[in-house]
Amino acid sequence: MQPIVATAPALAGLGASLAAQPRIGLDTEFLRERTYRAQLCLVQVATASDALCIDPLALADLAPLAPVLATDRVLKVMHASRQDLEVLLPVAGLTRPVFDTQIAASLTGLPAQVGYAQAVRRFLGQELDKSHTRTDWSRRPLSAEQIEYALDDVRYLLPLAARLQEELARLGRLEWLAEELVTLDDERALTIAPEDAWLRLKGLRPLDPGRERLARALAAWRERSALEHNRPRGWILEDAVLREVVMQVPRTLAALAGIPQMPPGLVKRRGAELLECVERAQVPEPPPALPGRPRPDPLKTALVRKLSSISQAVARELNLVPEILATRRDLEQLADGRRDGTVLRGWRRAVLGERLLEAL
């Protein structure tokens, strides 16, 4: 079979062939630097005996591939799958079930963000060529070297998954892996509603109710604009500028234009829309004073340090990177009285959560 599938009949034949496999390796190459929606440029698949590429740019659609990606009968083996799942969602629906080799490798003791090349080197003893990491995958034709590089991204996935399963079985952690992989079945985690976009904003202090409404309105406006024009969020309005609008609450075009780094063209073209967001938020005039940065609570700091020492001790016992068990945010939430965090669910509660609760 040709290493790249670029016609509808060939894709239909491949779809039928893949549907008969118990598991396949799967990866994608895409671009999203200049767009809101990622441009899917290549799909790589592997079976136990073969590996090939699918060229979405040469095909009207990927419909013949969708049943394979959705069926429970075929396990899809991927590495660091979340972005790939997000990119595949609009063109082929939710891809499931997934065996993520990055997640599996992290449960053996490797870092949470362990790369594919590092995992392959560690468990299979193979060195991968990474010379085409920055390739523009939208350009055609692809060279033989580029195709080989892309195929390397899937041809080791099945043996890597097998080795990881063996290692996790030896460690008694297959149930841990099953719990982690269930989270990949949640389609909601792959999309964001404009009304929830403000939750992804970083660097905002605790906000008064009016400013929180403004942050919600601005983030939703930006999300809808980015989607409508298919442009990155930052091209519509940078995070830093959005935060300044929330803090300063400008009510005139002149005040809006005076915000540092505010693009003059944006004020001219869409300033009225931004001011409408401010008006809808109904922030009092004058707006409440911005709260100062809270001083660290020495009791909380000491408690988080205590919880962290317990977490690190358990991580050493299990030969895991501590962040796999609990992040600093998890520990801070525990210290604040929250009891709904990841560390108090499933296998993490059994190996660490109960010990943390005893220490509170």
Side-chain angles (χ1 to χ4, degrees):
M1 185 176 290
Q2 292 295 319
I4 188 160
V5 172
T7 68
L11 182 60
L14 175 62
S17 173
L18 294 177
Q21 301 292 324
R23 55 176 57 190
I24 62 172
L26 180 65
D27 190 35
T28 69
E29 306 294 346
F30 55 88
L31 295 179
R32 71 185 331 158
E33 287 80 5
R34 304 174 64 85
T35 58
Y36 178 89
R37 290 178 289 272
Q39 180 186 15
L40 182 59
C41 300
L42 205 64
V43 179
Q44 304 101 285
V45 294
T47 66
S49 59
D50 201 5
L52 48 82
C53 298
I54 300 164
D55 186 358
L57 303 184
L59 294 159
D61 60 57
L62 297 180
L65 197 60
V68 177
L69 299 185
T71 180
D72 288 340
R73 295 190 301 273
V74 181
L75 180 67
K76 275 64 72 171
V77 179
M78 309 172 73
H79 188 88
S81 62
R82 286 198 180 274
Q83 285 195 72
D84 301 299
L85 295 175
E86 179 185 339
V87 171
L88 288 170
L89 184 64
V91 297
L94 181 62
T95 297
R96 59 172 307 278
V98 169
F99 183 110
D100 191 312
T101 54
Q102 184 180 72
I103 294 174
S106 74
L107 296 179
T108 71
L110 294 182
Q113 304 301 320
V114 59
Y116 174 64
Q118 181 183 351
V120 168
R121 184 187 313 116
R122 171 73 173 269
F123 287 97
L124 301 178
Q126 293 285 340
E127 288 289 341
L128 299 184
D129 174 21
K130 303 307 292 180
S131 60
H132 291 282
T133 302
R134 299 189 179 277
T135 289
D136 180 351
W137 293 101
S138 68
R139 299 185 66 178
R140 295 295 185 270
L142 295 173
S143 68
E145 291 80 11
Q146 288 174 316
I147 293 173
E148 276 302 300
Y149 172 88
L151 292 175
D152 270 352
D153 279 348
V154 291
R155 57 170 42 116
Y156 297 105
L157 280 171
L158 298 186
L160 177 59
R163 280 287 293 113
L164 288 167
Q165 282 184 300
E166 290 174 3
E167 181 64 10
L168 290 174
R170 184 185 71 80
L171 295 168
R173 297 176 184 176
L174 286 176
E175 290 186 4
W176 297 8
L177 177 62
E179 284 186 31
E180 298 296 295
L181 295 179
V182 164
T183 64
L184 300 177
D185 278 352
D186 186 1
E187 184 173 331
R188 294 169 300 177
L190 304 176
T191 58
I192 182 168
E195 293 72 22
D196 296 328
W198 78 285
L199 296 172
R200 295 192 178 186
L201 293 172
K202 297 180 180 179
L204 283 176
R205 308 176 194 178
L207 299 174
D208 56 83
R211 284 191 174 91
E212 182 175 311
R213 291 191 297 270
L214 178 54
R216 288 174 180 266
L218 287 171
W221 170 83
R222 182 177 70 168
E223 198 73 18
R224 293 190 184 96
S225 297
L227 182 60
E228 177 186 354
H229 299 284
N230 195 25
R231 289 290 180 264
R233 297 177 187 89
W235 287 25
I236 304 297
L237 184 64
E238 291 185 1
D239 280 4
V241 181
L242 190 154
R243 287 193 296 269
E244 283 301 311
V245 175
V246 171
M247 296 304 169
Q248 296 187 31
V249 197
R251 300 176 193 271
T252 66
L253 289 177
L256 195 63
I259 288 177
Q261 300 180 1
M262 174 65 75
L266 179 62
V267 176
K268 182 177 180 179
R269 295 190 311 273
R270 312 192 68 177
E273 296 174 46
L274 291 171
L275 294 179
E276 185 180 344
C277 290
V278 174
E279 183 178 353
R280 288 204 314 270
Q282 296 182 325
V283 183
E285 175 62 32
L290 289 169
R293 295 195 178 277
R295 293 182 178 180
D297 179 346
L299 294 178
K300 177 182 174 180
T301 300
L303 181 54
V304 171
R305 188 180 300 119
K306 178 182 178 182
L307 297 177
S308 179
S309 67
I310 295 171
S311 179
Q312 291 180 33
V314 173
R316 286 193 296 271
E317 293 170 12
L318 298 172
N319 192 30
L320 288 173
V321 175
E323 290 72 21
I324 299 296
L325 291 175
T327 64
R328 182 172 180 83
R329 180 176 175 80
D330 292 329
L331 302 179
E332 289 175 344
Q333 289 180 343
L334 269 180
D336 286 335
R338 294 273 298 272
R339 297 294 182 266
D340 57 352
T342 303
V343 73
L344 295 183
R345 296 198 295 268
W347 67 269
R348 287 182 177 83
R349 180 170 188 131
V351 302
L352 175 63
E354 293 293 347
R355 292 173 64 170
L356 295 177
L357 290 174
E358 290 173 3
L360 292 173

